[in-house]
Amino acid sequence: QYNPGQGKITNNPFKDSIRRVTVERDFYADAKEGGKRDFETFENKLEVLEKPSNPIFEKLRAHQTISEEEKLQFSIYIVQMHRRVQAGREMTKNLVPRLVANYEPAKEIFQKLNWPDTPETRAYLKETSKRMAQKEGFDIQMHLRAIPAAQESFLVEALQKMTWHFFTAPQGHAFLTGDNPVFIPEQHGLG
């Protein structure tokens, strides 16, 4: 029922502080054995991944043309932003069951493990992947590992091939933004 106001319990929607509604505590924390959490590894990795785009942002803000190499770097940044938010985590969560159901061990895994590529070892690896996927927090771990792999995404190539247009809000106006910095419609993709 629509009943706007200040009360968290009595009103829908209710007014709250931006600090509380826009942040999920420990969103990038990685669960470790024994219930411990690693708060630094992925935050530090994300910082390293994002820094190369800072000068590109400055050029764009100054209305300067960027090179093809900078466009590639910024395409990687865009895909990272697409993946790193809650919508990216939800996408990963929905994708994990399909990936596990269709999982076929690659030849490189057998070489790395120095195991024979037999029906028995394939079945063992498939069963192991199913067990791992059922562990609590597996989808979060997969999400955290997908962010740094953004440069290998087909989206990077697709973005780089596009003609980009940038819009500047007129004096006295601004754009409305949200917590999902990159929006790609699921039903249309980048097509």
Side-chain angles (χ1 to χ4, degrees), residues 1-16 21:
Q1 175 176 319
Y2 183 73
N3 178 27
Q6 302 275 348
K8 290 182 183 181
I9 297 172
T10 57
N11 298 108
N12 180 24
F14 65 89
K15 187 175 182 180
D16 204 349
V21 297

Side-chain angles (χ1 to χ4, degrees), residues 8 19 109 190:
K8 290 182 183 181
R19 178 178 287 267
I109 291 177
L190 292 177

Side-chain angles (χ1 to χ4, degrees), residues 82-153:
H82 180 252
R83 288 184 176 181
R84 76 175 283 175
V85 295
Q86 184 64 41
R89 182 160 292 174
E90 290 298 320
M91 185 173 62
T92 302
K93 185 177 184 176
N94 294 333
L95 191 59
V96 165
R98 286 186 282 165
L99 290 174
V100 170
N102 298 316
Y103 173 66
E104 278 298 326
K107 292 197 179 294
E108 293 80 21
I109 291 177
F110 295 101
Q111 292 168 350
K112 186 176 181 179
L113 295 172
N114 199 23
W115 289 0
D117 186 351
T118 65
E120 293 79 20
T121 55
R122 282 187 169 278
Y124 174 78
L125 287 170
K126 287 180 182 183
E127 187 56 39
T128 301
S129 71
K130 285 181 185 175
R131 277 197 316 274
M132 287 174 57
Q134 292 171 350
K135 286 185 177 181
E136 185 179 345
F138 180 79
D139 56 323
I140 294 171
Q141 289 182 346
M142 293 304 297
H143 174 243
L144 294 175
R145 280 146 186 82
I147 298 166
Q151 62 191 18
E152 295 149 14
S153 171

